[in-house]
Amino acid sequence: AQSVAQPEDQVNVAEGNPLTVKCTYSVSGNPYLFWYVQYPNRGLQFLLKYITGDNLVKGSYGFEAEFNKSQTSFHLKKPSALVSDSALYFCAVRPYYGGSQGNLIFGKGTKLSVKP
Amino acid sequence: NAGVTQTPKFQVLKTGQSMTLQCAQDMNHEYMSWYRQDPGMGLRLIHYSVGAGITDQGEVPNGYNVSRSTTEDFPLRLLSAAPSQTSVYFCASRDGPNTGELFFGEGSRLTVL
């Protein structure tokens, strides 16, 4: 079965420290990979995506993510966390089905808490 | 530019009642979808549409109906509400290419008593 795993329900980081939110996936073919952020009582907002090319992709608000094909991972990173980064983060994958892409499959989300 | 607009934002229903969650987008996106978000379960796809007149089922379609008569609108109907349908519902749309990201509405919080 196609799936996306975010192994940590919550990540706690001190402001100014680097942060990593982990994501691994199990899908067929060459999937497209996405990260979204959700602030309280809001809809999801797009952060960044990997389609092809350079394994390190940069996105909004200083976030970046590294695609690792051999480890089927797409971890979200930021060099210096801000209190305002505190939110719920979702990894999502669009599988590849014999010439066409499927619908997005979302992980369960990781709550990021950045303390001053 | 309003993006994706969902109404209502909050709704309380009794078991067995029916209702429609409205979703409209003004970006001329062909693809639209409905997700439900439950604690610890992420987002699960209910129904989606790749264009006017075309709909298909997602992962959890039971108890929900959709239609797509125009490009702009994609309503979600609950025919006979059940407590298991208590959730936060999100409508999302994207431009044609599969590489595109989804644009989400602000969500509709539904409670079924």
Side-chain angles (χ1 to χ4, degrees):
Chain A
Q2 322 258 18
S3 64
V4 178
Q6 294 181 241
E8 300 152 318
D9 291 336
Q10 181 157 343
V11 171
N12 299 311
V13 178
E15 188 174 32
N17 283 0
L19 69 88
T20 298
V21 182
K22 296 179 180 178
C23 173
T24 59
Y25 61 91
S26 175
V27 301
S28 57
N30 296 311
Y32 299 155
L33 303 161
F34 300 79
W35 275 100
Y36 289 84
V37 59
Q38 184 181 31
Y39 298 101
N41 301 312
R42 303 296 300 275
L44 278 71
Q45 298 177 30
F46 168 76
L47 273 181
L48 51 79
K49 65 183 175 184
Y50 174 83
I51 304 300
T52 187
D54 193 348
N55 289 342
L56 185 64
V57 294
K58 295 185 183 298
S60 307
Y61 312 120
F63 283 94
E64 57 189 29
E66 185 169 11
F67 170 62
N68 187 318
K69 187 173 184 178
S70 63
Q71 296 185 4
T72 60
S73 66
F74 189 55
H75 300 331
L76 181 70
K77 300 180 180 182
K78 188 174 183 181
S80 179
L82 299 173
V83 173
S84 57
D85 292 331
S86 298
L88 188 57
Y89 290 81
F90 289 96
C91 180
V93 177
R94 185 170 293 144
Y96 180 84
Y97 296 116
S100 64
Q101 302 293 133
N103 291 296
L104 273 185
I105 301 171
F106 283 86
K108 295 183 178 181
T110 298
K111 182 179 180 181
L112 174 66
S113 178
V114 182
K115 300 296 185 184
Chain B
N1 191 347
V4 179
T5 303
Q6 290 182 234
T7 57
K9 293 189 186 304
F10 301 95
Q11 182 72 48
V12 178
L13 290 178
K14 294 180 180 179
T15 297
Q17 287 185 315
S18 62
M19 77 157 300
T20 299
L21 299 177
Q22 302 290 346
C23 176
Q25 53 93 8
D26 61 359
M27 298 172 283
N28 201 33
H29 286 171
E30 292 293 330
Y31 179 96
M32 297 185 72
S33 56
W34 277 102
Y35 288 86
R36 58 178 289 173
Q37 182 180 22
D38 301 291
M41 301 190 73
L43 278 77
R44 293 180 292 169
L45 182 65
I46 305 172
H47 285 284
Y48 66 99
S49 168
V50 297
I54 306 169
T55 63
D56 206 345
Q57 297 180 349
E59 179 185 358
V60 287
N62 292 341
Y64 308 95
N65 275 359
V66 292
S67 60
R68 186 91 180 273
S69 57
T70 67
T71 299
E72 295 77 20
D73 300 299
F74 190 45
L76 178 71
R77 297 181 183 87
L78 283 71
L79 304 177
S80 179
S84 61
Q85 295 179 302
T86 294
S87 186
V88 181
Y89 293 85
F90 287 98
C91 180
S93 71
R94 74 160 193 260
D95 205 348
N98 284 312
T99 57
E101 64 270 23
L102 286 174
F103 292 81
F104 283 83
E106 293 290 284
S108 298
R109 183 175 295 274
L110 175 66
T111 301
V112 183
L113 302 176

